[in-house]
Amino acid sequence: MSEATDYSRETESLDNCDVEAAYARWAPIYDLTFTAVFKPGRRALASASSKAEGPILDVGVGTGLELPMFEPHTEVYGVDLSEPMLRRAAQRVEREKLRHVVGLYKMDATRMAFADASFACVCAPYVLTVVPEPEAMLDELARVVRPGGEIVLVNHVSRKDDPLAVLDTWLDRHVAPRLGWRPQFPWSIIGDWIDQRADMQLVERRLLAPFGLFTLSRIKRLPVGKDVEAPAEPTALEYA
Ligand SMILES: C[S@@+](CC[C@H](N)C(=O)[O-])C[C@H]1O[C@@H](n2cnc3c(N)ncnc32)[C@H](O)[C@@H]1O
């Protein structure tokens, strides 16, 4: 299923301290900077996640820009590593009376305090490229999602024909820790992880606006081993 790795992982290593420091700096200006560009991805993720029959966990909820996009009948929990980001999410829940948001917690996405199989859906909008160990985060998402449930991811995935590939490489080598995310992120990180798990199946992979910069991935936790064909690589952009 996964492509050959086209990119080496030369990124200066991020650690949780870099991430917390970066998001303490981003928090006051985050909504001004990132509302519009990430909006189609948040909408696609919230729409896919809202189909879950049971509680939804939003991992890396940030300032909660996606929270109003979940359907009102849902039951959404949010976690984030950054207190300044979470404070803003809590203010949003209060201000916009988002009754479907039932809890916000400070937690590390790679070590969450939820029991196994607690959620019908676990989603992570624009987070996988931010955590120092994406495979460890995927393992943790898989632990807390129920068999039959889905992991829904939206994040930037590097492509050979990506107009921003050169910029990604430069940012990766020079400023990733200060940015608080990894600009260069090969699909193989997700694809290889799925290949190594008998209980995980990619059910959808689609490019999103703007310009196909972001990818939505839906990964199902199977009750038993794999029995479904992997979807084809995305060919069309979706402008959600
Ligand atoms: C780019 S922001 C995305 C926020 C929000 N989901 C959105 O769409 O605007 C990434 C978020 O992931 C959080 N994060 C990074 N590493 C984390 C970790 N290990 N555990 C939990 N949250 C983490 C950051 O604090 C930040 O709020």
Side-chain angles (χ1 to χ4, degrees), residues 53-181:
E53 291 178 5
I56 298 168
L57 177 63
D58 180 342
V59 177
V61 63
T63 64
L65 283 165
E66 64 270 26
L67 291 175
M69 299 173 183
F70 291 93
E71 306 236 343
H73 72 268
T74 57
E75 183 189 331
V76 179
Y77 296 77
V79 298
D80 203 284
L81 193 62
S82 165
E83 276 183 27
M85 297 288 276
L86 271 175
R87 265 199 300 277
R88 283 168 173 78
Q91 287 160 1
R92 184 184 312 282
V93 169
E94 182 79 18
R95 193 172 60 242
E96 300 186 26
K97 299 189 175 25
L98 303 176
R99 295 190 213 297
H100 59 283
V101 180
V102 289
L104 294 172
Y105 308 96
K106 178 171 161 58
M107 280 187 205
D108 181 345
T110 61
R111 279 180 293 273
M112 294 189 284
F114 297 111
D116 295 357
S118 293
F119 297 95
C121 176
V122 180
C123 60
Y126 305 106
V127 185
L128 203 57
T129 56
V130 166
V131 295
E133 299 171 273
E135 295 88 351
M137 173 172 150
L138 289 168
D139 282 340
E140 187 66 348
L141 304 192
R143 183 184 71 77
V144 299
V145 75
R146 292 176 188 162
E150 283 191 9
I151 297 172
V152 182
L153 308 170
V154 169
N155 54 272
H156 176 60
V157 173
S158 309
R159 290 185 287 138
K160 271 186 272 187
D161 59 343
D162 190 337
L164 297 182
V166 175
L167 178 64
D168 281 357
T169 308
W170 188 88
L171 287 171
D172 226 31
R173 291 197 180 143
H174 299 284
V175 292
R178 270 187 297 128
L179 278 177
W181 71 82

Side-chain angles (χ1 to χ4, degrees), residues 2-7 135 157 185-193:
S2 91
E3 301 157 6
T5 303
D6 297 311
Y7 304 90
E135 295 88 351
V157 173
F185 189 90
W187 171 257
S188 57
I189 293 178
I190 300 174
D192 290 353
W193 178 82

